[in-house]
Coordinates of all heavy atoms in Angstrom, one line a residue:
M19 N 0.8 -1.2 0.0 CA 0.0 0.0 0.0 C 0.9 1.2 0.0 O 1.9 1.3 0.7 CB -0.9 0.0 1.2 CG -1.7 1.2 1.4 SD -3.3 0.8 2.1 CE -4.1 2.3 1.9
K20 N 0.5 2.2 -0.7 CA 1.2 3.5 -0.8 C 1.1 4.3 0.5 O 0.1 4.2 1.2 CB 0.7 4.3 -2.0 CG 0.9 3.7 -3.3 CD 0.4 4.6 -4.4 CE 0.6 3.9 -5.7 NZ 0.3 4.7 -6.9
N21 N 2.2 5.0 0.8 CA 2.1 5.8 2.0 C 1.4 7.1 1.7 O 1.1 7.4 0.6 CB 3.6 6.1 2.5 CG 4.4 7.0 1.7 OD1 3.8 7.9 1.1 ND2 5.7 6.8 1.6
I22 N 1.0 7.8 2.8 CA 0.2 8.9 2.7 C 0.8 10.1 1.9 O 0.1 10.8 1.1 CB -0.2 9.4 4.1 CG1 -1.3 10.5 4.0 CG2 1.0 10.0 4.8 CD1 -2.7 9.9 3.7
D23 N 2.1 10.2 1.9 CA 2.8 11.2 1.1 C 2.6 11.0 -0.4 O 2.4 11.9 -1.2 CB 4.3 11.3 1.5 CG 4.5 11.9 2.9 OD1 3.6 12.6 3.3 OD2 5.5 11.5 3.5
E24 N 2.7 9.7 -0.8 CA 2.5 9.4 -2.2 C 1.1 9.6 -2.6 O 0.8 10.1 -3.7 CB 2.9 7.9 -2.5 CG 4.4 7.6 -2.4 CD 4.7 6.2 -2.5 OE1 3.8 5.3 -2.2 OE2 5.9 5.8 -2.8
I25 N 0.1 9.3 -1.8 CA -1.3 9.5 -2.1 C -1.6 11.0 -2.2 O -2.2 11.5 -3.1 CB -2.2 8.9 -1.0 CG1 -2.0 7.3 -1.1 CG2 -3.6 9.3 -1.2 CD1 -2.7 6.6 0.0
L26 N -1.0 11.8 -1.3 CA -1.2 13.3 -1.3 C -0.6 13.9 -2.6 O -1.1 14.8 -3.2 CB -0.7 13.9 -0.1 CG -1.5 13.7 1.2 CD1 -0.8 14.3 2.4 CD2 -2.9 14.3 1.1
A27 N 0.6 13.4 -2.9 CA 1.3 13.9 -4.1 C 0.5 13.6 -5.4 O 0.3 14.4 -6.3 CB 2.7 13.3 -4.2
M28 N -0.1 12.4 -5.4 CA -0.9 12.0 -6.6 C -2.2 12.8 -6.6 O -2.6 13.3 -7.7 CB -1.3 10.5 -6.4 CG -2.0 9.9 -7.7 SD -2.2 8.2 -7.7 CE -3.0 7.8 -6.2
A29 N -2.8 13.1 -5.5 CA -4.0 14.0 -5.5 C -3.6 15.4 -6.0 O -4.4 16.0 -6.7 CB -4.6 14.0 -4.1
Q30 N -2.5 15.9 -5.6 CA -2.1 17.2 -6.0 C -1.9 17.2 -7.5 O -2.2 18.2 -8.2 CB -0.8 17.7 -5.3 CG -1.1 18.1 -3.9 CD 0.2 18.4 -3.1 OE1 1.2 18.0 -3.5 NE2 0.0 19.2 -2.0
N31 N -1.3 16.2 -8.1 CA -1.1 16.1 -9.5 C -2.4 16.0 -10.3 O -2.5 16.6 -11.3 CB -0.2 14.8 -9.9 CG 1.2 15.0 -9.5 OD1 1.7 16.1 -9.3 ND2 1.9 13.9 -9.4
V32 N -3.3 15.2 -9.7 CA -4.6 15.2 -10.3 C -5.3 16.5 -10.3 O -5.9 17.0 -11.4 CB -5.5 14.1 -9.6 CG1 -7.0 14.2 -10.0 CG2 -5.0 12.7 -9.8
Q33 N -5.2 17.2 -9.2 CA -5.8 18.6 -9.2 C -5.2 19.5 -10.2 O -5.9 20.3 -10.8 CB -5.7 19.1 -7.7 CG -6.4 20.5 -7.6 CD -6.3 21.0 -6.2 OE1 -5.8 20.4 -5.3 NE2 -6.8 22.2 -6.0
A34 N -3.9 19.5 -10.3 CA -3.2 20.4 -11.2 C -3.6 20.0 -12.7 O -3.8 20.9 -13.5 CB -1.7 20.2 -11.1
E35 N -3.7 18.7 -13.0 CA -4.1 18.3 -14.3 C -5.6 18.8 -14.6 O -5.9 19.2 -15.7 CB -3.9 16.8 -14.5 CG -2.5 16.4 -14.6 CD -1.8 16.9 -15.8 OE1 -2.4 16.9 -16.9 OE2 -0.6 17.3 -15.7
L36 N -6.4 18.7 -13.6 CA -7.8 19.1 -13.8 C -7.9 20.6 -14.1 O -8.7 21.0 -14.9 CB -8.7 18.7 -12.6 CG -8.9 17.2 -12.4 CD1 -9.6 16.9 -11.1 CD2 -9.7 16.6 -13.6
E37 N -7.2 21.3 -13.3 CA -7.2 22.8 -13.5 C -6.7 23.1 -14.9 O -7.2 24.0 -15.6 CB -6.3 23.5 -12.5 CG -7.0 23.5 -11.1 CD -6.1 23.9 -10.0 OE1 -4.9 24.4 -10.3 OE2 -6.5 23.9 -8.8
K38 N -5.6 22.5 -15.4 CA -5.1 22.7 -16.7 C -6.1 22.3 -17.8 O -6.3 23.0 -18.7 CB -3.8 21.8 -16.9 CG -3.1 22.0 -18.2 CD -1.9 21.1 -18.2 CE -1.3 21.0 -19.6 NZ -0.1 20.1 -19.7
A39 N -6.8 21.2 -17.6 CA -7.8 20.7 -18.6 C -9.0 21.7 -18.6 O -9.5 22.0 -19.7 CB -8.3 19.3 -18.2
Q40 N -9.4 22.2 -17.4 CA -10.5 23.2 -17.4 C -10.1 24.5 -18.2 O -10.9 25.0 -18.9 CB -10.8 23.6 -15.9 CG -11.7 22.5 -15.3 CD -13.1 22.5 -15.7 OE1 -13.6 23.5 -16.3 NE2 -13.8 21.5 -15.4
A41 N -8.9 24.9 -18.0 CA -8.5 26.1 -18.7 C -8.4 25.9 -20.2 O -8.8 26.8 -21.0 CB -7.1 26.6 -18.1
N42 N -8.0 24.7 -20.6 CA -7.9 24.4 -22.0 C -9.3 24.3 -22.6 O -9.4 24.7 -23.8 CB -7.2 23.1 -22.2 CG -7.0 22.7 -23.6 OD1 -6.5 23.5 -24.4 ND2 -7.3 21.5 -24.0
L43 N -10.3 23.9 -21.9 CA -11.7 23.8 -22.5 C -12.2 25.2 -22.9 O -12.9 25.2 -23.9 CB -12.6 23.2 -21.4 CG -12.5 21.8 -21.1 CD1 -13.5 21.3 -20.0 CD2 -12.6 20.9 -22.4
D44 N -11.8 26.2 -22.3 CA -12.2 27.5 -22.7 C -11.6 28.0 -24.0 O -12.0 29.0 -24.6 CB -12.1 28.6 -21.5 CG -13.1 29.7 -21.6 OD1 -14.3 29.4 -21.9 OD2 -12.8 30.8 -21.3
T45 N -10.5 27.4 -24.4 CA -9.9 27.7 -25.7 C -10.4 27.0 -26.9 O -10.1 27.4 -28.0 CB -8.3 27.6 -25.6 OG1 -8.0 26.2 -25.5 CG2 -7.7 28.3 -24.4
L46 N -11.1 25.9 -26.6 CA -11.6 25.1 -27.7 C -13.0 25.6 -28.1 O -13.8 25.9 -27.3 CB -11.8 23.6 -27.3 CG -10.5 22.9 -26.9 CD1 -10.8 21.5 -26.3 CD2 -9.5 22.8 -28.1
E47 N -13.2 25.8 -29.4 CA -14.5 26.4 -29.9 C -15.3 25.4 -30.7 O -14.8 24.5 -31.4 CB -14.2 27.6 -30.8 CG -13.6 28.7 -30.0 CD -13.4 30.0 -30.9 OE1 -13.8 30.0 -32.1 OE2 -12.7 30.9 -30.4
V48 N -16.6 25.5 -30.6 CA -17.6 24.7 -31.3 C -18.6 25.7 -31.9 O -18.7 26.8 -31.4 CB -18.3 23.6 -30.5 CG1 -17.4 22.6 -29.9 CG2 -19.1 24.3 -29.3
E49 N -19.3 25.2 -32.9 CA -20.3 26.1 -33.5 C -21.6 25.3 -33.7 O -21.7 24.2 -34.3 CB -19.9 26.6 -34.9 CG -20.9 27.5 -35.6 CD -20.5 28.0 -36.9 OE1 -20.7 27.3 -37.9 OE2 -19.8 29.1 -37.0
G50 N -22.7 25.8 -33.0 CA -24.0 25.2 -33.2 C -24.8 25.9 -34.3 O -24.6 27.1 -34.5
Q51 N -25.6 25.2 -35.0 CA -26.4 25.8 -36.1 C -27.8 25.4 -36.0 O -28.2 24.3 -35.4 CB -25.8 25.3 -37.4 CG -24.4 25.8 -37.7 CD -24.0 25.4 -39.1 OE1 -24.9 25.3 -40.0 NE2 -22.8 25.1 -39.3
S52 N -28.7 26.2 -36.6 CA -30.1 25.8 -36.8 C -30.6 26.4 -38.1 O -30.0 27.4 -38.6 CB -30.9 26.1 -35.6 OG -31.0 27.5 -35.4
G53 N -31.7 26.0 -38.5 CA -32.3 26.5 -39.7 C -31.4 26.4 -40.9 O -31.4 27.3 -41.8
G54 N -30.7 25.3 -41.0 CA -29.9 25.1 -42.2 C -28.7 26.1 -42.3 O -28.3 26.5 -43.3
G55 N -28.3 26.6 -41.1 CA -27.2 27.5 -41.1 C -27.6 29.0 -41.0 O -26.8 29.9 -41.0
L56 N -28.9 29.3 -40.9 CA -29.4 30.6 -40.9 C -29.0 31.3 -39.5 O -28.9 32.5 -39.5 CB -30.9 30.7 -41.1 CG -31.4 30.3 -42.5 CD1 -32.9 30.3 -42.5 CD2 -30.9 31.3 -43.5
V57 N -28.9 30.5 -38.5 CA -28.5 31.0 -37.2 C -27.4 30.1 -36.7 O -27.4 28.9 -36.7 CB -29.7 30.9 -36.1 CG1 -29.2 31.2 -34.8 CG2 -30.9 31.8 -36.6
K58 N -26.3 30.8 -36.3 CA -25.1 30.1 -35.8 C -24.7 30.7 -34.5 O -24.7 31.9 -34.3 CB -23.9 30.2 -36.8 CG -24.2 29.6 -38.2 CD -23.1 29.9 -39.1 CE -23.4 29.4 -40.5 NZ -22.3 29.7 -41.5
V59 N -24.3 29.8 -33.5 CA -23.8 30.2 -32.2 C -22.5 29.6 -32.0 O -22.3 28.3 -32.1 CB -24.8 29.7 -31.1 CG1 -24.2 30.0 -29.7 CG2 -26.1 30.4 -31.3
K60 N -21.5 30.4 -31.7 CA -20.1 29.9 -31.5 C -19.9 29.9 -30.0 O -20.2 30.9 -29.3 CB -19.1 30.8 -32.2 CG -17.7 30.2 -32.1 CD -16.7 31.1 -32.8 CE -16.9 30.9 -34.3 NZ -15.9 31.6 -35.1
A61 N -19.4 28.8 -29.4 CA -19.2 28.7 -28.0 C -17.9 28.0 -27.7 O -17.3 27.3 -28.5 CB -20.4 27.9 -27.3
S62 N -17.4 28.2 -26.5 CA -16.2 27.4 -26.0 C -16.7 26.1 -25.6 O -17.9 25.9 -25.3 CB -15.5 28.2 -24.9 OG -16.3 28.1 -23.7
A63 N -15.8 25.1 -25.5 CA -16.1 23.8 -25.0 C -16.6 23.8 -23.5 O -17.2 22.9 -23.0 CB -15.0 22.8 -25.1
K64 N -16.3 24.9 -22.9 CA -16.8 25.1 -21.5 C -18.2 25.7 -21.4 O -18.8 25.8 -20.4 CB -15.8 26.1 -20.8 CG -15.6 25.8 -19.3 CD -14.5 26.6 -18.8 CE -14.4 26.4 -17.3 NZ -13.4 27.1 -16.7
G65 N -18.7 26.1 -22.6 CA -20.1 26.5 -22.7 C -20.2 28.1 -22.7 O -21.4 28.6 -22.8
R66 N -19.1 28.8 -22.8 CA -19.2 30.2 -22.8 C -19.5 30.6 -24.3 O -18.9 30.2 -25.2 CB -17.8 30.8 -22.5 CG -17.7 32.3 -22.5 CD -16.4 32.8 -22.0 NE -15.3 32.2 -22.7 CZ -14.8 32.8 -23.9 NH1 -15.3 33.9 -24.3 NH2 -13.7 32.2 -24.5
I67 N -20.6 31.5 -24.5 CA -21.0 31.9 -25.8 C -20.0 33.0 -26.3 O -19.8 34.0 -25.6 CB -22.4 32.5 -25.8 CG1 -23.4 31.4 -25.2 CG2 -22.8 33.0 -27.1 CD1 -23.4 30.1 -26.0
I68 N -19.5 32.8 -27.5 CA -18.5 33.7 -28.0 C -19.1 34.6 -29.1 O -18.8 35.8 -29.1 CB -17.3 32.8 -28.7 CG1 -16.6 32.0 -27.6 CG2 -16.4 33.7 -29.4 CD1 -15.7 30.9 -28.2
G69 N -20.0 34.1 -29.8 CA -20.7 34.9 -30.8 C -21.9 34.3 -31.4 O -22.2 33.1 -31.3
I70 N -22.7 35.1 -32.1 CA -24.0 34.7 -32.7 C -24.0 35.3 -34.1 O -23.7 36.5 -34.2 CB -25.2 35.2 -31.9 CG1 -25.2 34.6 -30.5 CG2 -26.5 34.8 -32.6 CD1 -26.2 35.2 -29.6
Q71 N -24.4 34.5 -35.1 CA -24.6 35.1 -36.4 C -26.1 34.8 -36.8 O -26.5 33.6 -36.7 CB -23.7 34.4 -37.5 CG -22.3 34.8 -37.3 CD -21.4 34.1 -38.4 OE1 -21.8 33.0 -38.9 NE2 -20.2 34.6 -38.6
I72 N -26.7 35.8 -37.4 CA -28.1 35.6 -37.8 C -28.2 36.1 -39.2 O -27.8 37.2 -39.6 CB -29.1 36.5 -36.9 CG1 -29.0 36.0 -35.5 CG2 -30.5 36.3 -37.4 CD1 -29.7 37.0 -34.5
D73 N -28.7 35.2 -40.1 CA -28.9 35.6 -41.5 C -29.9 36.8 -41.6 O -30.9 36.8 -40.9 CB -29.4 34.4 -42.3 CG -29.5 34.6 -43.8 OD1 -28.4 34.3 -44.4 OD2 -30.5 35.1 -44.3
D74 N -29.6 37.7 -42.5 CA -30.4 38.9 -42.7 C -31.9 38.6 -43.0 O -32.8 39.3 -42.7 CB -29.8 39.8 -43.8 CG -28.5 40.5 -43.4 OD1 -28.2 40.5 -42.2 OD2 -27.8 40.9 -44.3
S75 N -32.1 37.4 -43.7 CA -33.5 37.1 -44.0 C -34.4 36.9 -42.8 O -35.6 36.9 -43.0 CB -33.5 35.8 -44.9 OG -33.1 34.7 -44.2
L76 N -33.8 36.7 -41.7 CA -34.6 36.4 -40.5 C -34.9 37.7 -39.7 O -35.6 37.7 -38.7 CB -33.9 35.4 -39.5 CG -33.7 34.0 -40.1 CD1 -32.8 33.2 -39.2 CD2 -35.1 33.4 -40.3
L77 N -34.3 38.8 -40.1 CA -34.5 40.1 -39.4 C -35.7 40.8 -39.9 O -35.7 42.0 -40.3 CB -33.2 41.0 -39.5 CG -32.0 40.3 -39.0 CD1 -30.8 41.2 -39.2 CD2 -32.1 40.0 -37.5
N78 N -36.8 40.2 -39.8 CA -38.1 40.7 -40.2 C -39.1 40.4 -39.0 O -39.2 39.3 -38.5 CB -38.6 39.9 -41.5 CG -39.9 40.3 -42.0 OD1 -40.7 41.0 -41.4 ND2 -40.2 39.9 -43.2
P79 N -39.8 41.5 -38.6 CA -40.7 41.3 -37.5 C -41.7 40.1 -37.6 O -42.0 39.5 -36.6 CB -41.5 42.7 -37.4 CG -40.6 43.6 -38.1 CD -39.8 42.9 -39.1
S80 N -42.1 39.8 -38.8 CA -43.0 38.7 -38.9 C -42.3 37.3 -38.7 O -43.0 36.3 -38.5 CB -43.7 38.7 -40.3 OG -42.7 38.4 -41.3
E81 N -41.0 37.3 -38.6 CA -40.2 36.1 -38.4 C -39.7 36.0 -37.0 O -38.9 35.1 -36.7 CB -39.0 36.0 -39.4 CG -39.4 36.1 -40.9 CD -40.2 34.9 -41.3 OE1 -40.0 33.8 -40.7 OE2 -41.0 35.0 -42.3
K82 N -40.2 36.9 -36.1 CA -39.7 36.9 -34.7 C -39.8 35.6 -34.0 O -38.8 35.1 -33.4 CB -40.5 38.0 -33.9 CG -40.0 38.1 -32.5 CD -40.9 39.2 -31.8 CE -40.4 39.4 -30.4 NZ -40.6 38.3 -29.5
Q83 N -40.9 34.9 -34.1 CA -41.1 33.6 -33.4 C -40.1 32.6 -33.9 O -39.5 31.8 -33.2 CB -42.5 33.1 -33.5 CG -42.8 31.8 -32.7 CD -42.5 31.9 -31.2 OE1 -43.0 32.9 -30.6 NE2 -41.8 31.0 -30.6
M84 N -40.0 32.5 -35.3 CA -39.1 31.6 -35.9 C -37.6 31.9 -35.5 O -36.9 30.9 -35.1 CB -39.2 31.6 -37.4 CG -38.2 30.5 -38.0 SD -38.2 30.3 -39.8 CE -38.9 31.7 -40.5
L85 N -37.3 33.1 -35.4 CA -35.9 33.5 -35.0 C -35.6 33.1 -33.6 O -34.6 32.5 -33.3 CB -35.7 35.0 -35.2 CG -34.3 35.5 -34.7 CD1 -33.2 34.8 -35.4 CD2 -34.3 37.0 -35.0
E86 N -36.6 33.3 -32.7 CA -36.4 32.9 -31.3 C -36.3 31.4 -31.2 O -35.4 30.9 -30.5 CB -37.6 33.3 -30.5 CG -37.7 34.9 -30.3 CD -39.0 35.4 -29.7 OE1 -40.0 34.6 -29.7 OE2 -39.0 36.5 -29.3
D87 N -37.0 30.6 -32.0 CA -36.9 29.2 -32.0 C -35.6 28.7 -32.5 O -35.0 27.8 -32.0 CB -38.1 28.5 -32.8 CG -39.4 28.7 -32.1 OD1 -39.5 29.0 -30.9 OD2 -40.4 28.5 -32.8
L88 N -35.1 29.4 -33.6 CA -33.9 29.0 -34.2 C -32.7 29.3 -33.3 O -31.7 28.6 -33.2 CB -33.7 29.7 -35.6 CG -34.6 29.2 -36.7 CD1 -34.4 30.1 -37.9 CD2 -34.3 27.7 -37.0
L89 N -32.8 30.5 -32.6 CA -31.7 30.8 -31.6 C -31.7 29.8 -30.5 O -30.6 29.3 -30.1 CB -32.0 32.2 -31.0 CG -31.6 33.4 -31.8 CD1 -32.2 34.7 -31.3 CD2 -30.1 33.5 -31.9
A90 N -32.8 29.4 -30.0 CA -32.8 28.3 -28.9 C -32.2 27.0 -29.4 O -31.4 26.4 -28.7 CB -34.2 28.1 -28.4
A91 N -32.6 26.6 -30.6 CA -32.0 25.4 -31.2 C -30.5 25.5 -31.5 O -29.8 24.6 -31.2 CB -32.7 25.1 -32.5
A92 N -30.1 26.7 -31.9 CA -28.6 26.8 -32.2 C -27.8 26.8 -30.8 O -26.8 26.2 -30.8 CB -28.3 28.1 -32.9
F93 N -28.4 27.5 -29.8 CA -27.8 27.4 -28.5 C -27.7 26.0 -28.0 O -26.6 25.5 -27.5 CB -28.5 28.3 -27.5 CG -28.2 29.7 -27.5 CD1 -29.0 30.7 -28.0 CD2 -27.0 30.1 -26.9 CE1 -28.7 32.0 -28.0 CE2 -26.6 31.5 -26.9 CZ -27.5 32.4 -27.5
N94 N -28.8 25.2 -28.1 CA -28.8 23.8 -27.7 C -27.8 23.0 -28.5 O -27.1 22.1 -27.9 CB -30.2 23.3 -27.8 CG -31.1 23.8 -26.7 OD1 -30.6 24.2 -25.6 ND2 -32.3 23.9 -27.0
D95 N -27.7 23.2 -29.8 CA -26.7 22.5 -30.6 C -25.3 22.8 -30.2 O -24.4 21.9 -30.0 CB -26.9 22.9 -32.1 CG -26.1 22.0 -33.0 OD1 -26.0 20.8 -32.8 OD2 -25.6 22.6 -34.0
A96 N -25.0 24.1 -29.9 CA -23.7 24.5 -29.5 C -23.4 23.9 -28.1 O -22.2 23.4 -27.9 CB -23.5 26.0 -29.4
R97 N -24.3 23.9 -27.2 CA -24.1 23.3 -25.9 C -23.8 21.8 -26.0 O -22.9 21.3 -25.3 CB -25.3 23.5 -25.0 CG -25.2 23.1 -23.6 CD -24.2 23.9 -22.9 NE -23.3 23.0 -22.1 CZ -22.4 23.5 -21.4 NH1 -22.1 24.7 -21.2 NH2 -21.6 22.6 -20.7
A98 N -24.6 21.1 -26.8 CA -24.4 19.7 -27.0 C -23.0 19.4 -27.6 O -22.3 18.5 -27.1 CB -25.4 19.1 -27.9
K99 N -22.5 20.2 -28.5 CA -21.2 20.0 -29.1 C -20.1 20.4 -28.1 O -19.1 19.7 -28.0 CB -21.0 20.9 -30.3 CG -21.8 20.4 -31.5 CD -21.7 21.2 -32.7 CE -22.6 20.7 -33.9 NZ -22.6 21.6 -35.0
A100 N -20.4 21.4 -27.3 CA -19.4 21.8 -26.2 C -19.3 20.7 -25.2 O -18.2 20.3 -24.8 CB -19.9 23.1 -25.5
D101 N -20.4 20.0 -24.8 CA -20.4 18.9 -23.9 C -19.6 17.7 -24.5 O -18.8 17.1 -23.7 CB -21.8 18.5 -23.5 CG -22.5 19.5 -22.6 OD1 -21.9 20.4 -22.0 OD2 -23.8 19.4 -22.5
A102 N -19.8 17.5 -25.8 CA -19.1 16.4 -26.4 C -17.6 16.6 -26.4 O -16.8 15.7 -26.1 CB -19.6 16.1 -27.8
V103 N -17.2 17.8 -26.8 CA -15.7 18.2 -26.8 C -15.2 18.1 -25.4 O -14.1 17.6 -25.2 CB -15.5 19.6 -27.5 CG1 -14.1 20.0 -27.3 CG2 -15.8 19.5 -29.0
S104 N -15.9 18.6 -24.4 CA -15.4 18.6 -23.1 C -15.2 17.2 -22.6 O -14.2 16.9 -21.9 CB -16.5 19.4 -22.2 OG -16.1 19.3 -20.8
G105 N -16.2 16.3 -22.8 CA -16.1 14.9 -22.4 C -14.9 14.2 -23.1 O -14.2 13.5 -22.4
T106 N -14.7 14.5 -24.3 CA -13.5 13.9 -25.1 C -12.2 14.4 -24.4 O -11.3 13.6 -24.2 CB -13.6 14.3 -26.5 OG1 -14.8 13.8 -27.1 CG2 -12.4 13.7 -27.3
E107 N -12.1 15.7 -24.2 CA -10.9 16.3 -23.6 C -10.6 15.7 -22.2 O -9.5 15.4 -21.9 CB -10.9 17.8 -23.7 CG -10.9 18.4 -25.0 CD -9.6 18.1 -25.8 OE1 -8.5 18.2 -25.2 OE2 -9.6 17.6 -26.9
M108 N -11.7 15.6 -21.4 CA -11.5 15.2 -20.1 C -11.1 13.7 -20.1 O -10.3 13.2 -19.3 CB -12.8 15.4 -19.2 CG -13.0 16.9 -19.0 SD -11.6 17.8 -18.3 CE -11.5 17.0 -16.7
S109 N -11.7 12.9 -21.0 CA -11.3 11.5 -21.1 C -9.8 11.3 -21.5 O -9.1 10.5 -21.0 CB -12.2 10.8 -22.2 OG -13.5 10.7 -21.8
K110 N -9.4 12.2 -22.4 CA -7.9 12.2 -22.8 C -7.1 12.4 -21.5 O -6.1 11.8 -21.3 CB -7.6 13.2 -23.8 CG -8.1 12.9 -25.2 CD -7.7 14.1 -26.1 CE -8.4 14.0 -27.4 NZ -8.1 15.2 -28.2
M111 N -7.5 13.4 -20.8 CA -6.7 13.9 -19.6 C -6.7 12.8 -18.5 O -5.7 12.5 -17.9 CB -7.3 15.2 -19.0 CG -6.4 15.9 -18.1 SD -6.3 15.3 -16.4 CE -8.0 15.5 -15.9
T112 N -7.8 12.1 -18.3 CA -7.9 11.2 -17.2 C -7.5 9.8 -17.6 O -7.4 8.9 -16.7 CB -9.3 11.1 -16.6 OG1 -10.2 10.7 -17.7 CG2 -9.8 12.5 -16.1
S113 N -7.2 9.5 -18.9 CA -6.9 8.2 -19.3 C -5.6 7.7 -18.6 O -5.4 6.5 -18.4 CB -6.8 8.1 -20.8 OG -5.7 8.9 -21.3
G114 N -4.7 8.6 -18.3 CA -3.4 8.1 -17.7 C -3.4 8.2 -16.2 O -2.4 7.8 -15.5
L115 N -4.5 8.6 -15.6 CA -4.6 8.7 -14.1 C -5.1 7.4 -13.5 O -6.0 6.8 -14.0 CB -5.5 9.9 -13.7 CG -5.2 11.3 -14.2 CD1 -6.2 12.2 -13.8 CD2 -3.8 11.7 -13.6
P116 N -4.5 7.1 -12.4 CA -4.9 5.8 -11.7 C -6.2 6.0 -10.9 O -6.2 6.1 -9.6 CB -3.7 5.5 -10.8 CG -3.1 6.9 -10.5 CD -3.4 7.7 -11.7
L117 N -7.3 6.2 -11.6 CA -8.6 6.5 -10.9 C -9.3 5.1 -10.7 O -9.2 4.3 -11.6 CB -9.5 7.4 -11.6 CG -8.9 8.8 -11.8 CD1 -9.8 9.6 -12.8 CD2 -8.7 9.5 -10.5
P118 N -10.1 5.0 -9.6 CA -10.8 3.7 -9.4 C -11.9 3.6 -10.5 O -12.4 4.6 -11.0 CB -11.5 3.9 -8.1 CG -10.9 5.1 -7.5 CD -10.2 5.9 -8.5
P119 N -12.3 2.4 -10.9 CA -13.3 2.2 -11.9 C -14.6 2.9 -11.5 O -15.0 2.8 -10.3 CB -13.5 0.6 -11.9 CG -12.3 0.1 -11.3 CD -11.7 1.1 -10.4
G120 N -15.3 3.5 -12.4 CA -16.5 4.2 -12.2 C -16.4 5.6 -11.5 O -17.4 6.2 -11.3
F121 N -15.2 6.0 -11.2 CA -15.0 7.3 -10.6 C -15.3 8.4 -11.5 O -14.8 8.4 -12.7 CB -13.5 7.4 -10.1 CG -13.2 8.7 -9.3 CD1 -13.6 8.8 -8.0 CD2 -12.6 9.7 -10.0 CE1 -13.3 9.9 -7.3 CE2 -12.3 10.9 -9.3 CZ -12.7 11.0 -7.9
K122 N -16.1 9.3 -11.1 CA -16.5 10.5 -12.0 C -15.9 11.7 -11.4 O -16.0 12.0 -10.2 CB -18.1 10.6 -12.0 CG -18.8 9.4 -12.5 CD -18.7 9.3 -14.0 CE -19.5 8.1 -14.5 NZ -19.2 7.7 -15.8
L123 N -15.4 12.5 -12.3 CA -14.8 13.8 -11.9 C -15.9 14.8 -11.8 O -16.9 14.8 -12.6 CB -13.7 14.2 -12.9 CG -12.5 13.3 -12.9 CD1 -11.5 13.7 -14.1 CD2 -11.8 13.3 -11.6
P124 N -15.7 15.8 -11.0 CA -16.8 16.8 -10.8 C -16.9 17.9 -11.9 O -16.6 19.0 -11.6 CB -16.4 17.5 -9.4 CG -14.9 17.3 -9.5 CD -14.6 16.1 -10.2
F125 N -17.4 17.5 -13.0 CA -17.6 18.5 -14.1 C -19.0 18.5 -14.6 O -19.6 17.8 -15.2 CB -16.6 18.3 -15.3 CG -15.2 18.5 -14.8 CD1 -14.4 17.5 -14.6 CD2 -14.8 19.8 -14.5 CE1 -13.1 17.7 -14.2 CE2 -13.5 20.0 -14.1 CZ -12.6 19.0 -14.0

């Protein structure tokens, strides 16, 4: 069995790697789309919204409800992609760590 110093050192290494991975997630970008690309939302893999693009054809008062629906769909698409990228990156980071089976990290 490992001594307490080795366990504490391993925990500190895990914490440092997690902080590094979290910082890296904010640099990775994904783009969610809806309406065949009429509405696009760019987000970080951490879920921070970076930008929104709306096609000029949707900037008509009679299209307000459709634009609102497309924005919600684009945000959801961007969030799903951000979650996928985040999961992939965290899996890469934790693949070399000696974590017990089934252990979930707090993200």
Side-chain angles (χ1 to χ4, degrees):
M19 175 147 190
K20 297 182 180 187
N21 69 35
I22 191 73
D23 291 333
E24 290 174 339
I25 293 171
L26 289 174
M28 188 170 56
Q30 288 175 339
N31 287 340
V32 169
Q33 182 177 359
E35 289 296 318
L36 291 175
E37 288 172 4
K38 182 180 170 184
Q40 282 285 344
N42 184 49
L43 289 178
D44 209 37
T45 66
L46 300 173
E47 293 183 7
V48 296
E49 182 178 87
Q51 296 185 30
S52 65
L56 293 175
V57 174
K58 298 177 184 177
V59 174
K60 189 178 287 187
S62 73
K64 212 170 175 180
R66 181 177 55 90
I67 302 303
I68 298 166
I70 301 171
Q71 290 181 337
I72 302 170
D73 188 89
D74 290 342
S75 67
L76 296 174
L77 300 177
N78 181 344
S80 66
E81 301 296 331
K82 181 181 183 294
Q83 182 64 47
M84 180 177 19
L85 176 57
E86 290 169 347
D87 292 343
L88 290 172
L89 280 168
F93 275 107
N94 288 330
D95 187 40
R97 184 69 226 180
K99 289 177 180 176
D101 288 345
V103 169
S104 177
T106 299
E107 290 298 310
M108 293 308 293
S109 291
K110 286 181 196 175
M111 195 280 301
T112 59
S113 66
L115 298 176
L117 299 174
F121 184 79
K122 302 287 184 194
L123 295 173
F125 295 107

